[in-house]
Amino acid sequence: YQRRVRALYFIVTNMSLSKLYLLAYNGALCTGWSAILIQIIRQLVSSNGDVSSVYPTIRTLLVMSQSAAVLEILHAMVGLVRSPVGTTFIQVLSRIIVLYGALEVGSKTVTENHFATQMIIAWSLSEIIRYSFYFVGLIDKEKVPKAMTWARYTGFMILYPLGITGEMACMYNALDHVKSTGIYSLTMPNSFNFAFDYHSFIWFTLLAVYPPGSYVMYNYMLGQRRKVLGAKKAKKD
């Protein structure tokens, strides 16, 4: 045990500031999403499966953890990580829209629906897998457990569809509330001489953005899976 601690201390003290920052970032968000998942499970068990009380329980931690992901766009832009800027932007933006444009608009129809809980569980599991994979890789990429690599590039096959259907359901369930309150909408006349109807934007997103966007993202992740797991298999052979 002491040998492992000394080895870890040596690795950390010889890391660059950028790696130390990424280590702290990934570790903090892995912890945050783990706490969210644990709280959801506890709440569901204590309430005999009642999903209506889930969102109020994890709301603050969810907003903090998901909002922090905006930094990942900056990480890609400045070269801290090798992730494509466009792909990262789309992934982060879609969740931010769902978070602030559906979950946080004040509609219990959205937050007390099982689709919201389904979505947040899928988000939590995918982020725990992703951030823990990055965290271990930053310490020593050659010693990332095979099971962790497999989960990183296979878990999405189930979690992505669960997350996407949950996101679309949350956006759809927010429609009535958005229409009745006019939240995020801007009507004419105004000093900006510009009009925006958030209700129409949701419909456009559901019908024109999510279907092709989900297809592209899923195929991108399948490509990444073939690239990583296929390369490891070829190397082994």
Side-chain angles (χ1 to χ4, degrees):
Y1 174 77
Q2 290 180 342
R3 186 183 300 174
R4 291 180 180 178
V5 171
R6 286 196 296 268
L8 180 60
Y9 175 78
F10 176 80
I11 291 170
V12 170
T13 54
N14 284 275
M15 278 186 175
S16 63
L17 287 176
S18 60
K19 277 195 173 183
L20 285 172
Y21 163 74
L22 289 174
L23 197 68
Y25 175 84
N26 287 293
L29 286 184
C30 182
T31 302
W33 284 105
S34 297
I36 289 170
L37 183 60
I38 291 171
Q39 288 184 26
I40 290 174
I41 294 172
R42 285 179 176 174
Q43 191 62 33
L44 289 175
V45 171
S46 64
S47 64
N48 294 317
D50 180 16
V51 298
S52 64
S53 57
V54 169
Y55 190 71
T57 303
I58 52 92
R59 177 179 176 266
T60 301
L61 193 53
L62 176 67
V63 170
M64 291 174 60
S65 298
Q66 187 54 60
S67 297
V70 173
L71 290 172
E72 293 178 25
I73 301 173
L74 182 61
H75 296 167
M77 289 176 65
V78 301
L80 272 179
V81 296
R82 291 183 294 175
S83 303
V85 177
T87 303
T88 303
F89 178 80
I90 292 171
Q91 289 177 320
V92 174
L93 181 63
S94 64
R95 288 209 188 169
I96 291 297
I97 290 174
V98 174
L99 176 62
Y100 290 102
L103 293 174
E104 284 292 296
V105 297
S107 173
K108 290 185 177 181
T109 304
V110 178
T111 59
E112 294 184 359
N113 190 282
H114 74 276
F115 278 111
T117 301
Q118 168 191 307
M119 176 189 71
I120 298 169
I121 289 175
W123 284 4
S124 299
L125 288 170
S126 64
E127 298 299 51
I128 292 168
I129 292 170
R130 187 167 70 95
Y131 287 122
S132 61
F133 175 83
Y134 290 154
F135 184 87
V136 174
L138 283 165
I139 296 174
D140 189 346
K141 65 170 66 177
E142 299 299 325
K143 292 187 178 181
V144 176
K146 292 181 180 179
M148 186 175 284
T149 302
W150 181 87
R152 170 71 181 96
Y153 293 99
T154 305
F156 77 89
M157 299 177 77
I158 296 175
L159 298 176
Y160 190 74
L162 288 174
I164 286 295
T165 53
E167 290 175 22
M168 294 183 72
C170 285
M171 295 290 282
Y172 178 81
N173 288 334
L175 281 168
D176 288 342
H177 181 79
V178 168
K179 188 173 184 178
S180 63
T181 61
I183 189 171
Y184 298 144
S185 295
L186 187 63
T187 58
M188 296 282 283
N190 59 70
S191 58
F192 299 102
N193 197 32
F194 171 79
F196 175 74
D197 182 21
Y198 183 56
H199 184 266
S200 298
F201 173 80
I202 292 179
W203 273 118
F204 174 78
T205 301
L206 289 173
L207 298 176
V209 177
Y210 261 101
S214 301
Y215 176 79
V216 171
M217 288 303 302
Y218 195 77
N219 277 280
Y220 168 77
M221 290 185 287
L222 283 174
Q224 290 295 104
R225 183 178 190 275
R226 287 192 295 268
K227 181 180 177 181
V228 175
L229 298 186
K232 285 184 176 293
K233 184 178 180 180
K235 185 177 180 180
K236 184 179 180 181
D237 293 339

